[in-house]
Amino acid sequence: MRPPSPSIPEKEFLNSALKQNLRIDGRAPLDMRTPVFIFGPELGWVDCSLGKTRVIAYVDAKMVKPTPERPFEGMITIHSELSPMASSEYETGRPSEEEVTITRMLDKIIKRSDALDKESLCILAGQRVWHIRLSLHFLADAGNMVDCACLAGIVALRHFRRPEVEVIGDDEVIVHSPLERAPMPLAIHHSPFCFTFAFFADPETPPILDPTQLEQRLSAGLMSIALNAQKEICVLQKLGGVPQDTEEVLRLVKVAVAQAKELSNTVDAKLTADWETRKVEVR
Amino acid sequence: MGSRIEILNEAGFRSDGRRQFELRDLTIDLSKHGEADGSALISHGLTQVLVSAHGPREAKMRSHTFHDRANINVEVVVASFSTGERRKRQRGDKRVLEFAATIKSTFEPVIRTNLYPRSQIDIYVQVLQQDGSTLQTCINAATLALMNAGIPMTDFVCAVTGGVHSTSPMLDLSTLEENDIPHVTVAVMPKTKKVVLVTMETRLHVDRFEEILNLARDAGAILHQEMKEAILARSATLVALAEPVTKNQNKGDDDVVMD
């Protein structure tokens, strides 16, 4: 289904404003919206918003039998579905092109980059492993859902605590409830954050970071970079759109590197602050 | 079985005998295939892809047309026998859909779609054999198929994969190398040296990435030469065949060899 295109006055206003380095919501071209996190009462539940874009991420863990090809590794599945609640363009059931892009990006950023250590999820080799399920619900689309979803997913995984298990002998597994023993955090190697830049057809218009919905629709190309605070690029996607010089691509990578560092500190601070509020009695 | 295959040995040779920056054998076949307006069968080493391009023609579904430009439709079929192990792909397989979307968005800024409003340009991709760098081969084949079909484009699109093995960059990776080292696929337009597509799914440090991006962009220019020669050769053949028969009256043999 084709989305209704923006009106001509909107298009012209946006293009002329961007030419003068002005964005409609008042941000600088390379300014990101400040992420707001609301942590749920349960561990592993996060509501992340970037401006008006809202995504809820929820993590839960189940004990299952591992696949025969990999008996020492746990499993992680990401479930995300775009419903018309996010925007009237999306239909349930049939994945639109944008939905395919988002789910594939999340898959690459969180699963393929090995952010989560799967071997640490093994309880009893060949018999019992943890199956971590990350569910993402897109509540509102005000542009740049990929970045918001990725952020929500990573923060939820870091927020989540799995129950502690004790293995006795060769086949006895005791799962301790969170009331008996403090639950354990997941082993996360690195936290990738995603940054999306939008390009415009006019060569004098600079690329912008974290586009709103209107900017995204009127853009002539998007580039998403997922990297961690250790300056490693996990995913870089510039799928078509206005051709760019490699120098420009590399300049934006540097911008993303700086943003990743900042974001990493913000996320760390928010997670620590939330953890303080949860009473953990040590007896 | 059990000996570890070295990606790059001390003498500077890769597992298939190539040097670091050596590209694989490129074969291009632009002969007519079926009822397609243009087609190309190309292979980079053992990776083989067949692309047929149709159009511009009347759109099958009116709802998918644009009033001011042509709609580009890309469909990708990965043969189940293309990989070492036979694997049948589902119709709505997200990976394949993403592949098709990638190819479509690569060609959207390149094809002069504004010349054909309310029309459709179809690009059908058949992946016949996979030995690494599938996206690279698909994009190169699609460029040639579109050119063969006479669809106007602003420039060639030449794609190349690049990878980094610890600190040594390499080009045109095979499956063995793709599974082992971080790699990126870059599609470049040779006239302006600008990149249309950059896609990387494996973790790589920013400094290494800078190196390999520039290297891949330059390698695209080399592929451009090969592709241009193939197109010119094909055009020359077609032009020669279009010459009236009277010109060859002195030759006893009237048989025309189409190749």
Side-chain angles (χ1 to χ4, degrees), chain B residues 197-221:
Chain B
L197 168 91
V198 182
T199 160
M200 182 165 79
E201 295 170 14
T202 40
R203 244 187 313 163
L204 184 61
H205 194 271
V206 172
D207 302 329
R208 300 277 86 75
F209 176 72
E210 185 170 341
E211 251 185 272
I212 196 65
L213 183 65
N214 288 324
L215 190 64
R217 178 202 57 192
D218 295 331

mmCIF file of all heavy atoms in Angstrom, chain B residues 197-221:
data_model
loop_
_atom_site.group_PDB
_atom_site.id
_atom_site.type_symbol
_atom_site.label_atom_id
_atom_site.label_comp_id
_atom_site.label_asym_id
_atom_site.label_seq_id
_atom_site.Cartn_x
_atom_site.Cartn_y
_atom_site.Cartn_z
ATOM 1 N N LEU B 197 25.544 2.102 -2.975
ATOM 2 C CA LEU B 197 25.191 1.124 -1.972
ATOM 3 C C LEU B 197 26.409 0.787 -1.143
ATOM 4 O O LEU B 197 27.482 0.571 -1.677
ATOM 5 C CB LEU B 197 24.699 -0.152 -2.666
ATOM 6 C CG LEU B 197 24.546 -1.380 -1.776
ATOM 7 C CD1 LEU B 197 23.155 -1.434 -1.213
ATOM 8 C CD2 LEU B 197 24.817 -2.638 -2.549
ATOM 9 N N VAL B 198 26.222 0.780 0.185
ATOM 10 C CA VAL B 198 27.260 0.279 1.068
ATOM 11 C C VAL B 198 26.536 -0.585 2.070
ATOM 12 O O VAL B 198 25.646 -0.112 2.767
ATOM 13 C CB VAL B 198 27.974 1.408 1.848
ATOM 14 C CG1 VAL B 198 29.067 0.818 2.708
ATOM 15 C CG2 VAL B 198 28.555 2.436 0.912
ATOM 16 N N THR B 199 26.866 -1.864 2.115
ATOM 17 C CA THR B 199 26.207 -2.667 3.124
ATOM 18 C C THR B 199 27.190 -3.598 3.821
ATOM 19 O O THR B 199 27.974 -4.281 3.189
ATOM 20 C CB THR B 199 24.990 -3.441 2.551
ATOM 21 O OG1 THR B 199 24.685 -4.518 3.396
ATOM 22 C CG2 THR B 199 25.228 -3.963 1.178
ATOM 23 N N MET B 200 27.148 -3.561 5.125
ATOM 24 C CA MET B 200 28.065 -4.385 5.918
ATOM 25 C C MET B 200 27.292 -4.970 7.080
ATOM 26 O O MET B 200 26.566 -4.243 7.756
ATOM 27 C CB MET B 200 29.219 -3.538 6.448
ATOM 28 C CG MET B 200 30.198 -4.362 7.223
ATOM 29 S SD MET B 200 31.732 -3.510 7.491
ATOM 30 C CE MET B 200 31.254 -2.470 8.837
ATOM 31 N N GLU B 201 27.421 -6.281 7.281
ATOM 32 C CA GLU B 201 26.680 -6.914 8.356
ATOM 33 C C GLU B 201 27.563 -7.500 9.429
ATOM 34 O O GLU B 201 27.072 -8.094 10.379
ATOM 35 C CB GLU B 201 25.816 -8.046 7.789
ATOM 36 C CG GLU B 201 24.750 -7.541 6.861
ATOM 37 C CD GLU B 201 24.063 -8.676 6.128
ATOM 38 O OE1 GLU B 201 24.229 -9.845 6.521
ATOM 39 O OE2 GLU B 201 23.377 -8.380 5.163
ATOM 40 N N THR B 202 28.852 -7.393 9.245
ATOM 41 C CA THR B 202 29.765 -7.996 10.206
ATOM 42 C C THR B 202 30.531 -6.893 10.912
ATOM 43 O O THR B 202 30.704 -5.812 10.370
ATOM 44 C CB THR B 202 30.742 -8.925 9.479
ATOM 45 O OG1 THR B 202 31.135 -8.304 8.258
ATOM 46 C CG2 THR B 202 30.087 -10.243 9.137
ATOM 47 N N ARG B 203 31.006 -7.201 12.121
ATOM 48 C CA ARG B 203 31.656 -6.178 12.926
ATOM 49 C C ARG B 203 33.044 -5.838 12.403
ATOM 50 O O ARG B 203 33.843 -6.729 12.116
ATOM 51 C CB ARG B 203 31.786 -6.669 14.362
ATOM 52 C CG ARG B 203 31.001 -5.844 15.318
ATOM 53 C CD ARG B 203 31.245 -6.196 16.737
ATOM 54 N NE ARG B 203 31.215 -7.592 17.031
ATOM 55 C CZ ARG B 203 31.732 -8.108 18.145
ATOM 56 N NH1 ARG B 203 32.309 -7.321 19.024
ATOM 57 N NH2 ARG B 203 31.678 -9.400 18.369
ATOM 58 N N LEU B 204 33.312 -4.540 12.265
ATOM 59 C CA LEU B 204 34.616 -4.102 11.782
ATOM 60 C C LEU B 204 34.956 -2.776 12.429
ATOM 61 O O LEU B 204 34.105 -1.903 12.543
ATOM 62 C CB LEU B 204 34.556 -3.946 10.250
ATOM 63 C CG LEU B 204 35.856 -3.577 9.542
ATOM 64 C CD1 LEU B 204 36.902 -4.639 9.763
ATOM 65 C CD2 LEU B 204 35.579 -3.420 8.050
ATOM 66 N N HIS B 205 36.204 -2.612 12.819
ATOM 67 C CA HIS B 205 36.612 -1.355 13.446
ATOM 68 C C HIS B 205 36.591 -0.220 12.426
ATOM 69 O O HIS B 205 36.858 -0.427 11.246
ATOM 70 C CB HIS B 205 38.016 -1.513 14.031
ATOM 71 C CG HIS B 205 38.388 -0.418 14.953
ATOM 72 N ND1 HIS B 205 38.988 0.746 14.521
ATOM 73 C CD2 HIS B 205 38.194 -0.260 16.292
ATOM 74 C CE1 HIS B 205 39.174 1.552 15.560
ATOM 75 N NE2 HIS B 205 38.709 0.969 16.635
ATOM 76 N N VAL B 206 36.286 0.970 12.923
ATOM 77 C CA VAL B 206 36.112 2.132 12.054
ATOM 78 C C VAL B 206 37.338 2.395 11.164
ATOM 79 O O VAL B 206 37.209 2.694 9.978
ATOM 80 C CB VAL B 206 35.814 3.381 12.911
ATOM 81 C CG1 VAL B 206 35.818 4.618 12.050
ATOM 82 C CG2 VAL B 206 34.466 3.255 13.566
ATOM 83 N N ASP B 207 38.522 2.256 11.722
ATOM 84 C CA ASP B 207 39.733 2.543 10.931
ATOM 85 C C ASP B 207 39.903 1.553 9.789
ATOM 86 O O ASP B 207 40.262 1.936 8.677
ATOM 87 C CB ASP B 207 40.977 2.501 11.837
ATOM 88 C CG ASP B 207 40.872 3.497 12.973
ATOM 89 O OD1 ASP B 207 40.239 4.544 12.772
ATOM 90 O OD2 ASP B 207 41.412 3.212 14.060
ATOM 91 N N ARG B 208 39.644 0.292 10.056
ATOM 92 C CA ARG B 208 39.756 -0.721 8.993
ATOM 93 C C ARG B 208 38.701 -0.444 7.933
ATOM 94 O O ARG B 208 38.908 -0.642 6.735
ATOM 95 C CB ARG B 208 39.515 -2.144 9.543
ATOM 96 C CG ARG B 208 40.458 -2.585 10.622
ATOM 97 C CD ARG B 208 41.763 -3.113 10.030
ATOM 98 N NE ARG B 208 42.721 -2.046 9.786
ATOM 99 C CZ ARG B 208 43.410 -1.450 10.722
ATOM 100 N NH1 ARG B 208 43.280 -1.814 11.980
ATOM 101 N NH2 ARG B 208 44.240 -0.503 10.429
ATOM 102 N N PHE B 209 37.537 -0.007 8.406
ATOM 103 C CA PHE B 209 36.441 0.223 7.483
ATOM 104 C C PHE B 209 36.800 1.307 6.476
ATOM 105 O O PHE B 209 36.500 1.191 5.285
ATOM 106 C CB PHE B 209 35.180 0.619 8.262
ATOM 107 C CG PHE B 209 34.027 0.958 7.386
ATOM 108 C CD1 PHE B 209 33.364 -0.039 6.693
ATOM 109 C CD2 PHE B 209 33.610 2.260 7.221
ATOM 110 C CE1 PHE B 209 32.310 0.253 5.862
ATOM 111 C CE2 PHE B 209 32.560 2.572 6.388
ATOM 112 C CZ PHE B 209 31.902 1.569 5.702
ATOM 113 N N GLU B 210 37.451 2.344 6.970
ATOM 114 C CA GLU B 210 37.828 3.452 6.086
ATOM 115 C C GLU B 210 38.689 2.949 4.924
ATOM 116 O O GLU B 210 38.440 3.246 3.763
ATOM 117 C CB GLU B 210 38.602 4.475 6.904
ATOM 118 C CG GLU B 210 38.938 5.715 6.131
ATOM 119 C CD GLU B 210 39.481 6.821 7.018
ATOM 120 O OE1 GLU B 210 39.257 6.747 8.247
ATOM 121 O OE2 GLU B 210 40.103 7.733 6.474
ATOM 122 N N GLU B 211 39.663 2.110 5.277
ATOM 123 C CA GLU B 211 40.573 1.534 4.264
ATOM 124 C C GLU B 211 39.811 0.775 3.196
ATOM 125 O O GLU B 211 39.973 0.979 2.006
ATOM 126 C CB GLU B 211 41.470 0.513 4.967
ATOM 127 C CG GLU B 211 42.903 0.894 5.131
ATOM 128 C CD GLU B 211 43.656 -0.271 5.735
ATOM 129 O OE1 GLU B 211 43.687 -0.340 6.979
ATOM 130 O OE2 GLU B 211 44.162 -1.110 4.971
ATOM 131 N N ILE B 212 38.986 -0.141 3.677
ATOM 132 C CA ILE B 212 38.356 -1.075 2.742
ATOM 133 C C ILE B 212 37.310 -0.368 1.894
ATOM 134 O O ILE B 212 37.086 -0.734 0.734
ATOM 135 C CB ILE B 212 37.772 -2.302 3.496
ATOM 136 C CG1 ILE B 212 37.482 -3.427 2.519
ATOM 137 C CG2 ILE B 212 36.537 -1.970 4.274
ATOM 138 C CD1 ILE B 212 38.717 -3.980 1.876
ATOM 139 N N LEU B 213 36.678 0.684 2.435
ATOM 140 C CA LEU B 213 35.658 1.392 1.673
ATOM 141 C C LEU B 213 36.298 2.048 0.454
ATOM 142 O O LEU B 213 35.807 1.918 -0.674
ATOM 143 C CB LEU B 213 34.988 2.444 2.554
ATOM 144 C CG LEU B 213 33.853 3.215 1.907
ATOM 145 C CD1 LEU B 213 32.706 2.287 1.601
ATOM 146 C CD2 LEU B 213 33.370 4.333 2.817
ATOM 147 N N ASN B 214 37.419 2.730 0.684
ATOM 148 C CA ASN B 214 38.091 3.397 -0.425
ATOM 149 C C ASN B 214 38.640 2.395 -1.433
ATOM 150 O O ASN B 214 38.584 2.607 -2.641
ATOM 151 C CB ASN B 214 39.211 4.298 0.102
ATOM 152 C CG ASN B 214 38.662 5.536 0.787
ATOM 153 O OD1 ASN B 214 37.648 6.075 0.363
ATOM 154 N ND2 ASN B 214 39.315 5.961 1.851
ATOM 155 N N LEU B 215 39.138 1.280 -0.929
ATOM 156 C CA LEU B 215 39.678 0.248 -1.821
ATOM 157 C C LEU B 215 38.583 -0.335 -2.709
ATOM 158 O O LEU B 215 38.747 -0.480 -3.926
ATOM 159 C CB LEU B 215 40.294 -0.857 -0.965
ATOM 160 C CG LEU B 215 41.118 -1.896 -1.699
ATOM 161 C CD1 LEU B 215 42.326 -1.238 -2.312
ATOM 162 C CD2 LEU B 215 41.541 -2.982 -0.738
ATOM 163 N N ALA B 216 37.450 -0.633 -2.103
ATOM 164 C CA ALA B 216 36.355 -1.227 -2.865
ATOM 165 C C ALA B 216 35.849 -0.242 -3.912
ATOM 166 O O ALA B 216 35.494 -0.634 -5.027
ATOM 167 C CB ALA B 216 35.226 -1.641 -1.921
ATOM 168 N N ARG B 217 35.824 1.018 -3.556
ATOM 169 C CA ARG B 217 35.361 2.013 -4.512
ATOM 170 C C ARG B 217 36.270 2.045 -5.734
ATOM 171 O O ARG B 217 35.822 2.104 -6.878
ATOM 172 C CB ARG B 217 35.336 3.383 -3.836
ATOM 173 C CG ARG B 217 34.921 4.516 -4.754
ATOM 174 C CD ARG B 217 35.389 5.832 -4.248
ATOM 175 N NE ARG B 217 36.832 5.833 -4.086
ATOM 176 C CZ ARG B 217 37.496 6.778 -3.452
ATOM 177 N NH1 ARG B 217 36.868 7.790 -2.917
ATOM 178 N NH2 ARG B 217 38.801 6.728 -3.333
ATOM 179 N N ASP B 218 37.568 1.949 -5.516
ATOM 180 C CA ASP B 218 38.501 1.954 -6.644
ATOM 181 C C ASP B 218 38.394 0.679 -7.465
ATOM 182 O O ASP B 218 38.548 0.706 -8.688
ATOM 183 C CB ASP B 218 39.940 2.140 -6.133
ATOM 184 C CG ASP B 218 40.128 3.503 -5.493
ATOM 185 O OD1 ASP B 218 39.420 4.440 -5.896
ATOM 186 O OD2 ASP B 218 40.981 3.626 -4.584
ATOM 187 N N ALA B 219 38.122 -0.426 -6.784
ATOM 188 C CA ALA B 219 37.990 -1.693 -7.514
ATOM 189 C C ALA B 219 36.777 -1.663 -8.434
ATOM 190 O O ALA B 219 36.775 -2.293 -9.498
ATOM 191 C CB ALA B 219 37.867 -2.852 -6.528
ATOM 192 N N GLY B 220 35.755 -0.927 -8.033
ATOM 193 C CA GLY B 220 34.565 -0.807 -8.870
ATOM 194 C C GLY B 220 34.918 -0.237 -10.237
ATOM 195 O O GLY B 220 34.344 -0.626 -11.264
ATOM 196 N N ALA B 221 35.883 0.677 -10.254
ATOM 197 C CA ALA B 221 36.289 1.283 -11.523
ATOM 198 C C ALA B 221 36.909 0.248 -12.458
ATOM 199 O O ALA B 221 36.746 0.313 -13.679
ATOM 200 C CB ALA B 221 37.272 2.419 -11.254
#
